[in-house]
Amino acid sequence: MVTGVYREPVDVHLVLRRDTALGPEVLLSRRAGTVYAAGLWHLPSGKLDGPHEDVVTAVIREAAEETGVVIAREDVRAAVTVHHRAPHGGSRIGVLFEVRRWEGVPAVRELAVCDAMGWYPLDALPVPMVAYCRAGLDAYRIGAPLAVHFQDPIDAIVYDPDADRLEAIGSPEPGGPAPAVREFAERAVGRVTSWTDLSWAREDSRVWRARTTTGGTWCVKVHQSDRFQERETAAYRSWVPALGAAAPRLVAADPGLRAVVFTAVPGRPLYGAVLEPGRERRVFHRIGRLAALIHASAPPRPGTGGAPAALRKLERHLVGARTRLVPGDEAFIRTVAEKAARLPALDLVPTHGDLQPRNLLLGEGDAVRVVDFERAQEGPAVRDFVRLADSWADRPDLHEAFTAGYGRPLTGAEEQHLAVESMLDAVSGIQYGARHHDPELAERGLRTLVRLRAGRTT
């Protein structure tokens, strides 16, 4: 029995988190030297400097000392509190804080006690890892506000799944799709042990990564409409197989649930990736080759010319976009729209329909893969250049690299179509962004209008 006032030390742990199309990732460092748990992965962490320091100030200080990032106090969020007892019997309180916004690039700053640092998927953490840290992250992953992690004397400090002492307090049910969709997915791929939500914030369609008891990884998607479900399954069953390893493979589809199961392909979204210029040009060359492969995946059919179907929505979209337009924008938009009826005919080929960096994955060796076929349909090839053009608007070298990979420049007729398609997409994006408080989408549309009014389609 402990007599007198019992006190336990308090640790602070930094959960520096970034969200990707493949799920959330956290920053981990590997301990080194003569410190406790050398050679094991751990969150950036530390102890309070004294009674003068609160836990939020402490985690901000530790972040700067260990990783070099600068964090504002208002960006710190409570994640989970862990009551931990080590194998030797000593116990402590660990407070984990989530941070999703910071300044600077994380890097090893304390070389004497840390020899590596990197981003890791929250549901595929590296080994070996400190068991105390792993318990905190597992509780955080399932949304538990509190966890007890009391190890036995025979336990090791390294995480061992066969000696997992985590007791999550107040944890909700693990995230994932509705029960009917779970049952459908498990009939297709076997029992699922974990679900990770990969959905984009602005989309009504939902996507999860599912890991099964056999170690397999799959993706499950529920579409927002019958039309999107029909388009995606039709693409998977017709021309997507021609892309080979550059695209997923359909495993199962249920029109009643608007759900599909498909294979998970490796890579991280190109969206937000920072690449050095030479590497970026190589990647865009490969994107060009991939676009050519998509457009050649089925024999072309002759088109009829005339206005794109999206022109019918222009007046409705203008109503929502008008408050964001500058003088001269609407007159320009109407001038371009008037030309749409006289567009020359182009061949119709398979198109992705939403070919842009967030739907392109960059894998090992800079392999480029494409995902998300819910907007796929037959149309002019230039339909797939509309959203890609924003990536090279101020980088003619990227446009040249893409064109070289694609195998040819656009024809004059294709340039005319691209101008109209880009205008319609811009107005649609502006009104959607204004209505749904999505400034990034609205800004992309406004940038496109500026570019088009300057006479540049690419």
Side-chain angles (χ1 to χ4, degrees), residues 208-448:
W208 294 266
R209 180 172 58 230
R211 296 190 187 278
T212 62
T213 54
T214 59
T217 304
W218 315 86
C219 289
V220 179
K221 183 173 185 177
V222 176
H223 296 92
Q224 61 178 293
S225 69
D226 291 336
R227 181 182 60 178
F228 282 175
Q229 207 268 347
E230 291 164 2
R231 285 180 178 177
E232 184 136 26
T233 54
Y236 272 125
R237 289 168 176 166
S238 56
W239 58 267
V240 172
L243 306 184
R249 175 177 55 83
L250 182 65
V251 176
D254 187 321
L257 296 173
R258 294 180 182 163
V260 292
V261 179
F262 53 92
T263 57
V265 293
R268 298 184 179 185
L270 186 61
Y271 181 78
V274 179
L275 309 177
E276 59 89 15
R279 184 184 178 196
E280 200 169 12
R281 286 191 290 272
R282 289 194 297 272
V283 168
F284 270 80
H285 187 276
R286 293 179 181 184
I287 296 172
R289 289 195 314 203
L290 180 58
L293 187 60
I294 291 172
H295 300 155
S297 60
R301 291 194 315 109
T304 58
L311 191 64
R312 294 193 295 268
K313 302 177 183 178
L314 179 60
E315 291 302 326
R316 175 161 54 89
H317 289 170
L318 269 173
V319 171
R322 193 167 280 125
T323 58
R324 300 297 306 275
L325 301 181
V326 300
D329 276 351
E330 185 166 349
F332 171 78
I333 290 166
R334 294 191 179 283
T335 298
V336 175
E338 289 173 3
K339 299 176 182 177
R342 301 188 297 275
L343 287 174
L346 293 177
D347 282 346
L348 304 179
V349 298
T351 66
H352 180 274
D354 194 17
L355 199 60
Q356 58 172 309
R358 72 174 189 173
N359 290 326
L360 293 166
L361 304 183
L362 192 59
E364 188 174 351
D366 287 343
V368 176
R369 299 177 177 90
V370 62
V371 295
D372 190 359
F373 300 95
E374 65 180 30
R375 288 176 172 80
Q377 61 184 120
E378 192 180 55
V382 293
R383 183 170 179 260
D384 281 339
F385 301 163
V386 171
R387 295 180 178 178
L388 277 176
D390 188 61
S391 301
W392 58 60
D394 298 310
R395 289 285 305 277
D397 59 324
L398 297 185
H399 180 230
E400 291 172 7
F402 175 87
T403 301
Y406 192 66
R408 64 173 180 84
L410 297 185
T411 66
E414 286 175 323
E415 292 281 4
Q416 294 179 51
H417 274 263
L418 182 57
V420 173
E421 296 272 8
S422 297
M423 179 275 289
L424 294 172
D425 187 72
V427 178
S428 173
I430 294 167
Q431 65 84 27
Y432 184 96
R435 189 172 74 249
H436 294 274
H437 307 290
D438 188 335
E440 189 272 338
L441 188 58
E443 187 59 34
R444 186 181 71 192
L446 292 169
R447 284 198 307 270
T448 300

Side-chain angles (χ1 to χ4, degrees), residues 4 11 28 35 53 84 106 120 125 142-143 161 186 201 244 266 275 285 299-300 306-307 315 322 327 345 419 421:
D11 303 327
L28 297 173
V35 299
E53 188 175 52
H84 166 70
Y120 291 91
L125 297 169
I142 63 173
E186 291 191 332
L275 309 177
H285 187 276
E315 291 302 326
R322 193 167 280 125
E421 296 272 8

Side-chain angles (χ1 to χ4, degrees), residues 67-130:
T67 73
V69 302
V70 177
I71 298 170
R73 192 178 181 90
E74 59 267 24
D75 291 326
V76 178
R77 298 287 182 270
V80 60
T81 299
V82 181
H83 190 191
H84 166 70
R85 183 182 67 195
H88 59 69
S91 58
R92 59 202 315 109
I93 301 295
V95 186
L96 279 68
F97 292 98
E98 177 196 83
V99 174
R100 301 195 188 202
R101 184 169 58 186
W102 62 90
E103 293 182 6
V105 179
V108 175
R109 294 301 177 95
E110 296 180 330
L111 297 175
V113 295
C114 175
D115 63 2
M117 185 173 289
W119 294 97
Y120 291 91
L122 187 57
D123 64 352
L125 297 169
V127 292
M129 175 175 278
V130 176

